[in-house]
């Protein structure tokens, strides 16, 4: 009777259904080797700034020069800039994402956005040098470039600023710090500089006669190159070289002896398309995924595959628009 009673009690217990768990959907990966990604449920307004902050100590009565070239910034502070009551203070330099600030019409960022802060008001102007990726070939193109600072989430032009034909750094004298950057405004083909970009190529063997090739184009700025290298930390970089856009996009094409691979004994499968658009390169500021192309290249025949293939960049106007890949 006891066993019958226990069995009946077990049957009468109503089992509650397990709570439904919403699946985590990762964002699109730039390459197959990336391990984790933020949940897609996170709002689009949430951005992740590139890691790192530079701290510089300014001492009273001393002329100081701070080299933050890993971020693309240099500071020169004259002697006597610090108020008399202060023996020293700390200047902070941080790269911030651009997505929260509005650009002027027909404008493109050609530098990182720097948040430069100082706890005290300095008595003398500070000379700031900022790296940009505009290629200035004529004096008339300098007018397309300007320093800007953030006011009410908008970029506002700053008067002054010197741009040189033979340097990727521009100089400006500032009386106070803020959130700063350099923009390029389009005024016409002849008066607008082109943008210096970097092509990064990663090659990863998957199995015999099969490779994954990851290609991306970013603006030639140190913090962007650092961020892409972090994304591809477990892949080996094969090549990197400078390029310029000749048109609105650059298309990657694989050849052997100037013959496209797909027309011979190869299979080339692209997972994100085979082109990178200029507008996507201009928008990438180190947050999220860069504009990239990922290819699966397979040699169909069973015998020994060729030793080398050629990656050509169609639509690139530069001295070098190809990469030789040794297999």
């Amino acid at each position: 009777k006891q066993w019958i009673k226990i069995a009946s009690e077990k049957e009468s217990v109503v089992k509650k259904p397990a709570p439904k768990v919403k699946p985590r959907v990762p964002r699109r990966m730039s390459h197959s080797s990336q391990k984790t990604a933020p949940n897609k449920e996170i709002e689009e307004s949430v951005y992740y700034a590139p890691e790192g902050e530079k701290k510089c100590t300014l001492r009273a009565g001393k002329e100081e020069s701070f080299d933050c070239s890993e971020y693309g910034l240099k500071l020169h502070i004259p002697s006597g800039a610090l108020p008399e009551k202060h023996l020293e203070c700390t200047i902070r330099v941080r790269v911030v994402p651009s997505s929260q600030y509005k650009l002027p019409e027909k404008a493109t960022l050609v530098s990182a956005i720097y948040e430069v802060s100082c706890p005290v008001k300095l008595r003398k102007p500070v000379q700031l040098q900022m790296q940009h990726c505009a290629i200035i070939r004529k004096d008339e193109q300098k007018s397309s470039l300007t320093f800007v600072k953030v006011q009410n989430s908008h970029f506002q032009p700053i008067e002054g600023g010197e741009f040189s034909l033979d340097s990727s750094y521009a100089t400006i004298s500032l009386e106070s710090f803020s959130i700063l950057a350099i923009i390029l405004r389009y005024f016409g083909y002849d008066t607008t500089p082109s943008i210096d970009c970097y092509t990064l190529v990663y090659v990863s063997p998957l199995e015999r006669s099969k490779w994954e090739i990851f290609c991306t184009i970013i603006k030639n700025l140190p913090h962007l190159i650092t961020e892409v290298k972090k994304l591809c930390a477990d892949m080996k970089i094969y090549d990197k070289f400078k390029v310029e856009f000749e048109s609105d996009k650059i298309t990657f094409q694989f050849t052997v002896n100037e013959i496209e691979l797909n027309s011979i004994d190869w299979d080339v499968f692209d997972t994100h398309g085979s082109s990178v658009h200029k507008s996507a390169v201009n928008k990438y500021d180190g947050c999220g995924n860069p504009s990239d192309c990922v290819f699966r290249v397979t040699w169909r025949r069973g015998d020994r595959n060729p030793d080398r293939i050629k990656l050509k960049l169609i639509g690139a106007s530069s001295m070098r628009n190809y990469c030789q890949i040794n297999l």
Side-chain angles (χ1 to χ4, degrees):
K1 290 181 180 180
Q2 290 178 347
W3 283 109
I4 293 172
K5 184 179 179 181
I6 293 171
S8 62
E9 287 177 354
K10 286 184 178 180
E11 290 177 358
S12 63
V13 175
V14 179
K15 294 184 179 181
K16 295 181 179 181
K20 294 182 179 180
V21 179
K22 196 170 183 179
R24 293 173 61 89
V25 182
R27 293 185 300 174
R28 178 178 69 80
M29 295 290 96
S30 287
H31 50 86
S32 62
S33 60
Q34 190 169 346
K35 296 179 181 179
T36 59
N39 193 342
K40 204 173 183 178
E41 298 169 20
I42 297 176
E43 294 181 2
E44 292 296 328
S45 60
V46 179
Y47 298 94
Y48 298 90
E51 297 178 0
E53 182 182 74
K54 188 82 170 182
K55 298 180 181 179
C56 311
T57 302
L58 174 62
R59 294 175 176 83
K62 287 188 175 182
E63 181 179 335
E64 300 279 6
S65 293
F66 300 119
D67 187 354
C68 309
S69 54
E70 64 267 35
Y71 299 147
L73 192 75
K74 298 177 183 179
L75 291 170
H76 178 76
I77 302 174
S79 175
L82 199 62
E84 295 179 356
K85 295 181 180 180
H86 296 81
L87 296 177
E88 65 178 32
C89 72
T90 301
I91 297 175
R92 299 173 184 267
V93 177
R94 187 169 69 95
V95 177
V96 297
S98 66
S99 307
Q100 52 191 312
Y101 305 119
K102 189 173 181 180
L103 284 165
E105 191 176 355
K106 294 184 178 181
T108 300
L109 275 170
V110 290
S111 75
I113 303 176
Y114 302 96
E115 182 181 1
V116 186
S117 60
C118 181
V120 300
K121 185 176 180 180
L122 300 179
R123 298 167 58 188
K124 293 183 179 181
V126 174
Q127 188 182 71
L128 181 144
Q129 290 181 289
M130 190 181 297
Q131 186 174 355
H132 62 84
C133 59
I135 303 175
I136 308 173
R137 293 190 171 95
K138 299 182 292 185
D139 288 330
E140 306 87 75
Q141 295 177 335
K142 296 179 183 179
S143 59
S144 298
L145 298 166
T146 182
F147 282 87
V148 290
K149 66 178 180 180
V150 172
Q151 289 182 347
N152 299 324
S153 299
H154 287 68
F155 285 111
Q156 300 294 335
I158 306 174
E159 293 185 1
E162 298 179 5
F163 297 89
S164 174
L165 296 177
D166 56 355
S167 176
S168 61
Y169 276 86
T171 305
I172 192 170
S173 182
L174 298 172
E175 295 183 356
S176 61
F177 293 125
S178 178
I179 299 176
L180 306 163
I182 297 175
I183 63 170
L184 182 151
R185 292 175 293 181
Y186 183 80
F187 293 131
Y189 180 78
D190 293 333
T191 57
T192 302
S194 58
I195 295 179
D196 186 18
C197 298
Y198 242 117
T199 297
L200 299 173
V201 180
Y202 291 80
V203 179
S204 178
L206 298 177
E207 54 190 66
R208 184 182 177 184
S209 301
K210 191 173 184 179
W211 301 264
E212 184 176 68
I213 301 175
F214 168 76
C215 311
T216 185
I217 301 176
I218 57 174
K219 288 180 284 191
N220 185 15
L221 295 170
H223 73 290
L224 297 185
I225 296 173
T226 300
E227 287 304 309
V228 172
K229 287 182 177 180
K230 287 180 183 178
L231 287 175
C232 305
D234 48 359
M235 295 181 73
K236 184 178 179 181
I237 186 167
Y238 186 84
D239 201 356
K240 59 179 181 179
F241 51 95
K242 294 183 179 183
V243 293
E244 296 177 47
F245 278 83
E246 188 176 45
S247 57
D248 292 335
K249 67 178 181 179
I250 289 177
T251 301
F252 296 100
Q253 182 187 84
F254 293 91
T255 64
V256 171
N257 298 325
E258 303 302 323
I259 303 174
E260 287 192 50
L261 294 194
N262 279 332
S263 62
I264 47 179
D265 296 321
W266 291 84
D267 285 328
V268 179
F269 175 72
D270 57 86
T271 58
H272 303 155
S274 59
S275 300
V276 171
H277 292 261
K278 184 194 292 187
S279 58
V281 173
N282 290 339
K283 289 179 182 177
Y284 179 63
D285 66 346
C287 301
N289 295 311
S291 181
D292 54 47
C293 297
V294 181
F295 300 92
R296 293 286 178 89
V297 179
T298 306
W299 172 248
R300 289 200 303 262
R301 295 174 59 180
D303 54 347
R304 186 173 178 271
N305 55 271
D307 295 329
R308 180 182 297 179
I309 61 176
K310 187 176 183 179
L311 172 62
K312 297 178 67 176
L313 277 65
I314 310 299
S317 60
S318 53
M319 294 182 64
R320 181 182 172 193
N321 60 357
Y322 68 92
C323 169
Q324 295 282 4
I325 299 177
N326 295 319
L327 303 176

